[in-house]
Structure formats: C-alpha cells, structure tokens
Amino acid sequence: MISPGLGFASLSPHGLARSLLGSLGLPDGDFAGYFVHFYLVGLIGYPAGWLFIFAPVWNRVAGGTHWLLPSALYGFGLWVFAIGGITAIAGLPFFLNFTGIAWVALAGHVLYGIVLVAILRLIGRSPD
C-alpha cells in the first residue's frame, strides 16, 4: 500500500515465494506464499541469519562499528539474495530486469535490515 501510494511500483512479496514454491513442485497458493515470505523467512530465517551468521562475522572482521551500517548492508545482502538469487531459482528474470519493483524491494530490504537490528537491540538479543 505504501509504495504505490508514493507513486512507486506495487509490490507482491508473497508472489516471489509462490513462484519459488511452484518451481519446486510445492503448493503455491496465496497462503503458502504469505506464510513462507512473512513467517518462515521474515520472522525466522532472516533474523537467524543476522544473529548467528552476519553479526558474528561482521563483529569479527570489522569490530566495534555502529550498528546502522552493518544492518543496512545486511538488508542489501538480503535483497541480492532474494531478488538476485531466488528469482533465478524461481524462473523469474534476473533482478526482475531491474524494473521499478526491484528498486522498491531494495529500499524495503534495507529498511527491514535496519528495523530488524533496531528491534533486536531493543530486546537485547543482537550480538553487535
């Protein structure tokens, strides 16, 4: 709702999950797409990736930098993974042909990374 309301591309984040599920021969209805994108990936997978992979590696390599830069880079990496990698596996164009949806997804993934880390810091779970 926000992106088209601001004059940008309409997003369908569950659509990518549906495409991936369908390409793997799994049920690919709306519920499955929303469940995979928002719950399995957004609430479990990506936070676990930050907590157990990205943040520990970042801290070992870069040390005591402010949390904002690594969280934004993590969001950028999620965008590369999702829009660059998962789209290819799902049989969609690489980076969705860099259309408007790819750039809105970039902003969304970077914002997600920042908000994720901010929330983890608030609840005291982030190793940064």
Side-chain angles (χ1 to χ4, degrees):
M1 291 179 357
I2 295 170
S3 178
L6 294 173
F8 299 110
S10 290
L11 294 175
S12 176
H14 76 292
L16 176 56
R18 290 182 62 207
S19 295
L20 177 63
L21 291 169
S23 72
L24 298 173
L26 298 170
D28 61 354
D30 275 342
F31 175 80
Y34 281 110
F35 184 79
V36 167
H37 185 265
F38 291 108
Y39 296 103
L40 293 182
V41 175
L43 290 177
I44 298 171
Y46 285 173
W50 169 265
L51 289 169
F52 302 115
I53 299 169
F54 188 87
V57 170
W58 179 270
N59 286 333
R60 183 167 288 138
V61 172
T65 59
H66 190 273
W67 65 271
L68 189 59
L69 176 62
S71 66
L73 289 174
Y74 184 65
F76 176 79
L78 298 178
W79 175 74
V80 170
F81 172 75
I83 306 301
I86 297 300
T87 54
I89 295 169
L92 299 170
F94 184 64
F95 279 97
L96 301 174
N97 289 330
F98 293 98
T99 56
I101 194 169
W103 302 116
V104 172
L106 171 59
H109 282 89
V110 170
L111 183 61
Y112 171 87
I114 293 168
V115 171
L116 167 69
V117 174
I119 290 170
L120 290 173
R121 288 174 51 81
L122 280 173
I123 62 174
R125 299 277 187 227
S126 186
D128 57 58

